[in-house]
């Protein structure tokens, strides 16, 4: 679907094609991992069990990832009467992008933040915190909403879900090694400690690196796409600076489901530092702001929106 000529949607930078290829590549990697490692660990029985569990995990991730993310922030659906300005902004941008109106949620958190979730534009949800609605002016909030809608239109959420599924499968296979016999042991019924240790260390690490690479790129993409959709990159740049300051002043606890959903937020909601910082899924805020200022200065023509 091509955008109507002259509409703001014509200026949206959409990466859905490339993200579709990335998703297919991750799914291919996931399938290859199941076939190779599952058979290696337990022969035909291990392969069958790994495939069944992986299918269940993929289905759960695909269909229920939005509910998990919304629950982690205690976000609730809101009506237009409660947040008329938010509805007006989202409806305007969704209409210009010729996309369905997403469901809108608000989290009671006072930390300024926002995120989008859902497997595609027809099943999308945009959530903002009470803190961000109080901190940003209308123009800045519009920039943030453009960023979040771009995540949906670029199919970033689907990639993140597949990466999370890949991480879950690798961890599951490592745990499965406790119960399946491995070669190279004197006891045919006991797992090989060396192989088990390798799986426990390298498996989650590899999955984290995959998700890290995708997430950092997608934030830059969503910044550029959102700036093109709103035609106001400086508004998003100003919003990001305020959000970073607010998130650092009011960090959220890195526990439970919030830790696994933090990569969806427009800014890292967790306290900086520690081992978790090695796997941060957010690029430096200063770099994001710098790129947005460069976009504003370049004044390049719109990039056609093609689905």
């Amino acid at each position: 679907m091509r955008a109507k000529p002259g509409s703001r949607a014509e200026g949206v930078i959409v990466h859905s094609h490339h993200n579709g290829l990335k998703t297919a590549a991750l799914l291919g990697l996931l399938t290859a991992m199941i076939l190779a490692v599952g058979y290696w660990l337990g022969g035909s029985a291990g392969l069958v069990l790994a495939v069944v569990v992986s299918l269940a995990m993929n289905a759960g991730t695909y269909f229920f990832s939005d509910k998990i993310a919304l629950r982690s922030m205690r976000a609730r659906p809101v009506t237009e009467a409660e947040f008329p300005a938010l509805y007006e902004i989202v409806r305007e941008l969704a209409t210009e992008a010729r996309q369905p109106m997403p469901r809108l949620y608000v989290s009671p958190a006072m930390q300024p933040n926002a995120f989008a979730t859902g497997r595609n534009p027809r099943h999308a949800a945009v959530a903002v915190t009470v803190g961000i609605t109080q901190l940003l002016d209308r123009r800045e909030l519009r920039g943030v909403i453009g960023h979040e809608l771009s995540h949906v239109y670029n199919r970033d959420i689907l990639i993140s879900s597949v990466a999370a599924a890949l991480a879950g499968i690798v961890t599951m296979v490592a745990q499965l090694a406790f119960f399946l016999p491995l070669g190279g042991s004197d006891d045919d019924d006991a797992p090989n400690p060396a192989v088990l240790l390798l799986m426990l260390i390298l498996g989650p690490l590899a999955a984290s690196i995959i998700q890290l690479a995708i997430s950092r790129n997608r934030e830059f993409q969503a910044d550029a796409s959102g700036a093109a959709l709103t035609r106001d990159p400086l508004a998003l740049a100003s919003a990001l600076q305020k959000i970073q300051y607010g998130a650092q002043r009011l960090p959220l606890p890195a526990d439970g489901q919030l830790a696994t959903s933090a990569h969806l937020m427009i800014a890292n909601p967790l306290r900086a530092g520690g081992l978790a910082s090695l796997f941060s899924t957010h690029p430096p805020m200063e770099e994001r702001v710098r790129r947005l200022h460069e976009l504003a200065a370049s004044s390049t023509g719109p990039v056609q929106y093609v689905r």
Side-chain angles (χ1 to χ4, degrees):
M1 177 186 299
R2 293 180 183 272
K4 181 179 179 181
S7 69
R8 275 198 293 265
E10 190 179 11
V12 177
I13 305 170
V14 175
H15 303 266
S16 59
H17 175 68
H18 294 99
N19 285 344
L21 294 178
K22 292 178 184 178
T23 302
L26 282 176
L27 288 173
L29 178 61
L30 175 61
T31 302
M33 183 181 301
I34 293 173
L35 294 176
V37 179
Y39 184 79
W40 178 43
L41 293 178
S44 299
L47 178 61
V48 171
L49 181 59
V51 169
V52 171
V53 174
S54 70
L55 290 176
M57 291 182 65
N58 273 309
T61 301
Y62 185 79
F63 289 105
F64 302 110
S65 60
D66 57 340
K67 295 178 176 61
I68 294 173
L70 292 167
R71 189 180 302 114
S72 71
M73 289 293 290
R74 296 185 292 124
R76 66 175 181 87
V78 293
T79 64
E80 187 167 3
E82 294 176 283
F83 288 86
L86 179 63
Y87 265 81
E88 181 183 0
I89 292 171
V90 175
R91 183 178 292 110
E92 174 210 343
L93 295 178
T95 299
E96 288 294 341
R98 301 182 65 187
Q99 297 287 347
M101 178 77 176
R103 294 167 289 143
L104 299 187
Y105 289 75
V106 172
S107 164
M110 292 308 299
Q111 181 194 94
N113 228 315
F115 67 94
T117 185
R119 59 186 183 273
N120 56 47
R122 292 190 176 277
H123 299 86
V126 173
V128 299
T129 64
V130 169
I132 203 173
T133 63
Q134 296 179 355
L135 179 65
L136 304 185
D137 61 30
R138 188 186 188 282
R139 179 184 165 213
E140 292 166 337
L141 182 60
R142 183 171 175 272
V144 168
I145 296 300
H147 170 100
E148 296 304 333
L149 290 177
S150 293
H151 273 313
V152 177
Y153 305 156
N154 291 349
R155 304 303 194 270
D156 290 331
I157 307 302
L158 180 58
I159 288 185
S160 182
S161 298
V162 172
L166 177 58
I169 293 301
V170 174
T171 303
M172 180 274 298
V173 172
Q175 294 173 341
L176 199 63
F178 279 108
F179 307 102
L180 295 178
L182 300 173
S185 174
D186 294 334
D187 184 355
D188 291 337
D189 296 327
N192 186 314
V195 177
L196 177 58
L197 181 61
L198 189 64
M199 287 293 298
L200 289 173
I201 294 176
L202 295 184
L205 179 60
S208 296
I209 292 174
I210 291 172
Q211 188 171 354
L212 170 65
I214 295 172
S215 297
R216 285 184 179 270
N217 289 333
R218 73 176 193 152
E219 289 302 324
F220 288 130
Q221 291 175 355
D223 285 345
S225 297
L229 176 60
T230 63
R231 293 188 177 178
D232 194 358
L234 294 182
L236 179 56
S238 176
L240 290 178
Q241 291 175 311
K242 288 185 178 181
I243 291 170
Q244 181 186 31
Y245 177 75
Q248 290 175 344
R249 288 185 61 250
L250 298 170
L252 298 179
D255 55 10
Q257 294 176 338
L258 179 59
T260 61
S261 302
H263 64 281
L264 295 174
M265 311 294 176
I266 192 170
N268 184 10
L270 310 178
R271 189 180 302 277
L275 183 61
S277 63
L278 297 177
F279 300 100
S280 173
T281 58
H282 294 81
M285 192 66 78
E286 295 77 9
E287 176 65 13
R288 294 172 65 182
V289 171
R290 183 187 67 79
R291 293 191 183 197
L292 287 167
H293 278 276
E294 287 183 351
L295 281 176
S298 64
S299 300
T300 56
V303 178
Q304 192 172 31
Y305 175 27
V306 181
R307 287 193 61 196

